[in-house]
Amino acid sequence: MRGTVNTAASAEEAESLGSRVSLWVYRVVALIAGMALFFPPANPGRISEKINAAASLFTTGISRDTITNSMGRILRSQWIQDSDITLLMISCIVVMLGVIACAAGACMSLGNRKMRRTGLLLPLCGAPVMGVGLFLIHRAYQNMLTHGEEVGKLDTIKVMIPGGFWVFCVFAGLLLLTAAIAFFTTEPEKNRAARMEMDEKYKLFLMMLPVILLSFIFAYLPIWGWRYAFFDYKPGGVIGPENYVGLKWFGSLFNDPATVSDLIRVLRNTLIMSGLGIATSWLPIAFAVLLAEVRSTRFQRTVQTLTTIPNFISWVLVYAIAICIFSTDGFVNSFLTNVMHQSGANTNYLQIADHTWLKMLLWGTWKGVGWSAIVYIAGIAGIDQQLYEAARVDGANRFRCIWHITIPGLMPTYMVMLLMSIAGILSNGMEQYLVFENAMNKDVIEVLDLYVYHIGIGQNQIPLSTVVGISKSLIGVTLLFGANGISKAIRGESII
Amino acid sequence: MSKKTKEPAMHIKRTAGDWVFDTAIVILFVLFTIICVFPFYYLLINTISDNDLVTSGKINFFPMLKDAAGNGVFGVQINNYIALQNVQDLGSSVIVTVARTVIGTALMVITSAWAGYLVTKQKMWKRSFWYRFLVITMYFNAGLVPWYMNMLMMGLTDNFLAYVIPGMVAPYNIILVKTYIESIPVSLEESAVIDGASTLTVWRKIIVPLSIPILATISIFGAVGNWNSFQDSLLLMNNRPDLYTLQHRLYIYLNSSSNLGAMMSQGGTISEQAAASMLNQRVIQYTVSMVSIIPILLVYPFMQRYFVKGIMLGAVKG
C-alpha cells in the first residue's frame, strides 16, 4: 500500500495516524455489522424467546412467517399484539437501512479524498438511524412487556432484551464515533473540480469482497465451533464459564477406556482402508499403460467412456446396484440358481462381514479406476514419440519401452497423487461406509469420518466429536505440509 | 483421448508373444468394461420385467414377462415407472433435487467465473493473499460437527438455501477458471479497457464468452455433484422431510425394512390389489434408483469430453 504512487493512496498517507486508525476501525466494524445482519445469534429483534432463534435481523425485517412460526397460539389469543410484531419488523428494517448506509460509507471511504468525505457522511446519518431503529425495537419490547402484564401471560411469551440488541448498540456507537473522527480529521477537498474516484485496486477488492465473505462464513467460521471442545456442551444448552472443562475431552481420547477402544478400532479401519487404497494406487497406471497398448483407437475410446460411468453416480446408487447384484434376490443368486442349477443359493452377500475391507476396496476400484486412469492416459499421449522410436532403433521391445519410457514419464503425476493420498490418509469420507454399513459389519467398516458422524450427529456428543475432528484436521494439515515438503525436496515443486 | 498412431511400429512384425499379449489385454478390458456396465443393464431389466419374476430371482440377462402359463418369456413393461407417481415423498424430492441442481449450479458457475476473473487482476489490493485465502480452504476443514454447528448458527438447517449458498464458492473451480482465463490473450481485454469498458462489461462481454468451454466443464461437474448430493440433506434437513434430496430419499427407501408398497398413497390409477402385487419394495427401490441414474446416463455421452478436459486442467495445475 505504501509503495504506490497514485493520488488516492498518497492522499491517505497525508492523513494523521488518528484519522487512519479510526478509518480502519470504522471499516472493520461496518463490515462486521454488515455480516451480523445475516447472523441469527446477533439478532437484536429477538425480543421474545418465542421468536424463531434461527431468524437473523434481515429475516426478522422481511419475513413475518419465519419469526412467528412457533407462536400460533400466542398470536391467536392476542398475548402478543400484531401491531407490536409490525413495529418490530419496521424497526428492524430501519436498523438494517442504517447498517447498509454505514457499510456503503465504508466502501466509499476507500476512494479519494472527495469520495471519502462524501462516504463518511453516510455513517454520520446511518449510525443515528440505527439508533432510532434500536429505540423502536426497545419500544416494541416495552409494548409487549406491558401488554403481557395486562393479560398475565409474561411467563408464556418470555419477553427479553437479546444480547444482539446491545451488540448493535455498541456497533452504532462505535460507527458514529469513528466515522465522526475520520470525517473531521479529513480535510475537505480544496479543488472544486475534483471528482469522486476510487483507486482501481480498491475497486477490484470491493468487487471480490462478497466472494471473500462467503468463503469466510462457510469455510473459516466453522473453526469458531472448535470452542465446543472445551465445554461440557449439550445440544440446546449454552456454553459459559460454568461448564468450561479445559482439556478434559482431549484427555478422554487417551484416558477414557470406551473412547480409547473405539478410537483404536476406528483408526485401524481407517488406516487399513486408506492403506489398501494407497497399495493399489498403481492400478490406474496399469490401466492406462495397457489401454495404450491396444491398437484400435475406437476400442480405447469406448473402454474409457464406459469405465468412467461409475465415477459419476453417488454412493447411494452404488449401494442400490450392490443390492441388485448381491442381495438375496440379486443377480449372483439367480445366476447360481438358474444357470448353474445350484439349489438353495440365497445368500445375502451384503450382510456378510467377511473381507469387508477388501470389498470396500473393490467397490472403490470399480467406481474410480477408469476415471483415475484418464490423467495417465493423457500423460502417455504427452510423451515424446521420438523416445519410443529411438528405443526401438536400439532394439528395445514393447515391454522395455513401457518400463523405461512410459512408466518414468508418468512418475511425476503419480508422485503427486500418492502424496495427496498420504496426506488424506485419515479422510476416507463417510458416504461409502455409511451406505454399506449394517449390523453385521459395523465394527470393521466404521472409519474415522463415519465415527465422528455417529457420535456427533447420531449420539449428540458434540464436544467429543469436535475433539476428534480437531485432531483429525490438525494431523491432516501436518501430513499435507509434510508431503509438500517432501515433494519440494525431491522434485523441487510443491503440490499445493 | 490419445489419437496417436503407431505408424513407426507398423512395419515391425508382431511376434507370437505380441499376439498373445494383445489378445490378453483386449479380453481383460472387455471383461472390466462388462463389469462396469452390466450392473446398470441388470438394474434396468429388473425394472421393466414382471415384478414376480424379479422378486423370485428369475431374471438373469433379459427382461421377461409372464406368459399365460406363468412362465417367463422375453418382454418389457413400464408400469413400474408409471406407478412411481404414487410413491410417497418421491415427487417433492425430485423437485428439490432439480431445483438445487439448477439454482446451485448456476450460482456456483457465476461466482466461479466472477472470482476466477478477479483473481487474475494483478492490480487488486492484496490479490495473492485473497487468492490463497480462497484456495487454502480446499485443504483444510474444521470438521463435520463444527461445520454442522455453524450451519445451525446461520439458520441454514431445515432451509433450502443450505443447498445452494454454501456451494457458491468452490475453490477448485475458481482455480480452473483462473487458469483458463490466464490463457486468454490480455490484448483483447486491454483494447476493451482503452475503449472505456468497465470491469463488469469486460467480464460480461469478453471474459465470459471466451471462457464458455471451462464454464461448461465446471457446470457439468457442479450439476452432477448437486444431483448426487446426499450428505447435506442427511445432516441438515432433519425436520423437513419435504426437502430431502433424491439420493437421501433413495437411501431411506433402500434401508426401509417395512414394505414400501404400504407407503403408496391410497387411490391412484391402479387398483389396490394390482398395486400390492406390482409394487413390492424391491422393485420400487430399483425403479427409483434407475430414475436417479437416468439423467446422468443421458447427459454423460455428450459431456464426456468436458469431464476429461476438467480433470486434465486439474492435473496440469497439479
Side-chain angles (χ1 to χ4, degrees), chain B residues 21-39:
Chain B
F21 178 72
D22 284 342
T23 318
I25 53 178
V26 167
I27 292 174
L28 203 68
F29 277 114
V30 169
L31 277 179
F32 185 68
T33 309
I34 290 175
I35 292 176
C36 283
V37 176
F38 180 75

Side-chain angles (χ1 to χ4, degrees), chain A residues 130-456:
Chain A
M130 278 173 74
V132 171
L134 289 166
F135 174 76
L136 289 174
I137 289 178
H138 196 263
R139 197 49 166 298
Y141 158 79
Q142 279 176 334
N143 286 355
M144 278 189 200
L145 201 62
T146 28
H147 184 74
E149 255 170 34
E150 279 167 23
V151 295
K153 289 290 176 190
L154 269 187
D155 290 346
T156 320
I157 61 177
K158 294 198 178 114
V159 179
M160 61 175 184
I161 294 270
F165 184 84
W166 303 118
V167 170
F168 270 81
C169 288
V170 171
F171 283 159
L174 264 179
L175 286 171
L176 189 64
L177 182 72
T178 50
I181 295 177
F183 181 80
F184 291 112
T185 51
T186 305
E187 283 169 34
E189 180 66 56
K190 294 192 181 69
N191 180 1
R192 296 240 158 207
R195 303 196 12 211
M196 290 207 281
E197 269 168 7
M198 191 185 291
D199 197 358
E200 183 72 11
K201 62 178 187 175
Y202 293 123
K203 267 193 216 164
L204 289 167
F205 166 68
L206 287 179
M207 289 191 256
M208 189 70 181
L209 190 60
V211 180
I212 293 169
L213 290 182
L214 275 176
S215 172
F216 173 77
I217 289 171
F218 293 110
Y220 288 88
L221 205 52
I223 297 172
W224 173 235
W226 282 9
R227 70 192 188 282
Y228 292 107
F230 305 97
F231 295 90
D232 253 336
Y233 174 80
K234 300 259 181 331
V238 289
I239 55 180
E242 67 276 10
N243 55 9
Y244 177 76
V245 290
L247 295 176
K248 170 186 146 188
W249 293 108
F250 286 91
S252 77
L253 294 186
F254 305 100
N255 305 330
D256 183 52
T259 313
V260 170
S261 77
D262 270 349
L263 274 176
I264 290 175
R265 177 176 57 83
V266 165
L267 276 175
R268 178 199 63 187
N269 296 340
T270 308
L271 293 177
I272 288 179
M273 296 217 217
S274 298
L276 285 174
I278 290 170
T280 56
S281 58
W282 52 272
L283 271 175
I285 295 194
F287 186 104
V289 168
L290 290 181
L291 191 60
E293 289 300 315
V294 179
R295 276 151 206 265
S296 155
T297 328
R298 180 181 292 173
F299 180 84
Q300 288 181 342
R301 216 174 307 146
T302 315
V303 167
Q304 203 196 331
T305 305
L306 294 177
T307 51
T308 36
I309 293 177
N311 184 60
F312 292 100
I313 63 169
S314 68
W315 278 110
V316 180
L317 283 168
V318 173
Y319 183 59
I321 279 172
I323 289 180
C324 180
I325 304 289
F326 292 110
S327 70
T328 320
D329 48 2
F331 175 76
V332 171
N333 283 316
S334 58
F335 184 81
L336 289 177
T337 313
N338 301 338
V339 181
M340 311 298 282
H341 299 291
Q342 204 181 91
S343 59
N346 59 356
T347 323
N348 187 349
Y349 296 97
L350 296 173
Q351 294 287 341
I352 299 176
D354 300 350
H355 313 299
T356 301
W357 297 325
L358 202 58
K359 285 179 194 160
M360 290 301 111
L361 174 72
L362 288 176
W363 281 115
T365 309
W366 178 77
K367 196 172 186 291
V369 74
W371 178 248
S372 319
I374 289 183
V375 180
Y376 300 114
I377 290 173
I380 292 174
I383 294 176
D384 190 352
Q385 287 301 307
Q386 289 182 356
L387 290 174
Y388 292 102
E389 282 160 36
R392 278 195 208 96
V393 169
D394 289 349
N397 62 20
R398 62 205 283 195
F399 300 102
R400 285 189 163 271
C401 284
I402 291 175
W403 189 249
H404 291 292
I405 301 172
T406 315
I407 305 273
L410 297 178
M411 267 305 133
T413 318
Y414 177 67
M415 288 312 286
V416 173
M417 301 284 171
L418 187 66
L419 287 173
M420 289 304 278
S421 53
I422 291 173
I425 199 161
L426 291 182
S427 325
N428 3 35
M430 62 172 240
E431 270 190 55
Q432 177 184 4
Y433 310 102
L434 178 70
V435 295
F436 278 99
E437 186 184 37
N438 58 44
M440 299 293 162
N441 64 15
K442 71 178 189 326
D443 277 349
V444 282
I445 207 171
E446 196 175 33
V447 295
L448 199 56
D449 286 329
L450 187 57
Y451 174 71
V452 169
Y453 167 73
H454 279 322
I455 59 169

Side-chain angles (χ1 to χ4, degrees), chain B residues 15-198:
Chain B
T15 62
D18 276 344
W19 194 85
V20 170
F21 178 72
D22 284 342
T23 318
I25 53 178
V26 167
I27 292 174
L28 203 68
F29 277 114
V30 169
L31 277 179
F32 185 68
T33 309
I34 290 175
I35 292 176
C36 283
V37 176
F38 180 75
F40 295 96
Y41 171 75
Y42 188 69
L43 192 63
L44 175 70
I45 63 173
N46 268 295
T47 63
I48 55 177
S49 294
D50 183 86
N51 293 341
D52 284 345
L53 295 177
V54 171
T55 37
S56 54
K58 294 286 191 305
I59 309 294
N60 274 319
F61 299 104
F62 305 102
M64 291 205 280
L65 295 179
K66 271 195 227 167
D67 62 8
N71 296 317
V73 289
F74 182 81
V76 167
Q77 53 103 359
I78 55 161
N79 291 343
N80 290 326
Y81 289 88
I82 297 168
L84 278 187
Q85 59 185 308
N86 297 329
V87 177
Q88 256 178 22
D89 305 323
L90 187 62
S92 69
S93 61
V94 170
I95 293 169
V96 165
T97 308
V98 170
R100 80 168 281 175
T101 303
V102 173
I103 301 172
T105 308
L107 288 176
M108 183 276 289
V109 171
I110 293 170
T111 315
S112 305
W114 180 239
Y117 171 55
L118 286 180
V119 292
T120 63
K121 299 292 231 174
Q122 302 293 336
K123 278 188 193 157
M124 186 197 294
W125 181 62
K126 308 266 189 220
R127 184 199 73 106
S128 53
F129 173 79
W130 296 121
Y131 180 58
R132 277 189 210 129
F133 182 88
L134 294 181
V135 167
I136 206 156
T137 60
M138 281 203 307
Y139 303 106
F140 177 80
N141 69 70
L144 183 79
V145 173
W147 173 83
Y148 172 79
M149 299 307 283
N150 187 51
M151 296 298 271
L152 196 69
M153 183 170 76
M154 299 303 296
L156 285 175
T157 48
D158 303 324
N159 188 339
F160 179 78
L161 291 178
Y163 287 149
V164 293
I165 305 282
M168 279 171 74
V169 182
Y172 186 69
N173 293 342
I174 293 177
I175 295 177
L176 292 186
V177 176
K178 169 183 175 273
T179 315
Y180 192 89
I181 291 176
E182 277 168 350
S183 73
I184 298 175
V186 190
S187 52
L188 283 170
E189 197 184 327
E190 277 169 356
S191 60
V193 171
I194 291 170
D195 290 344
S198 68

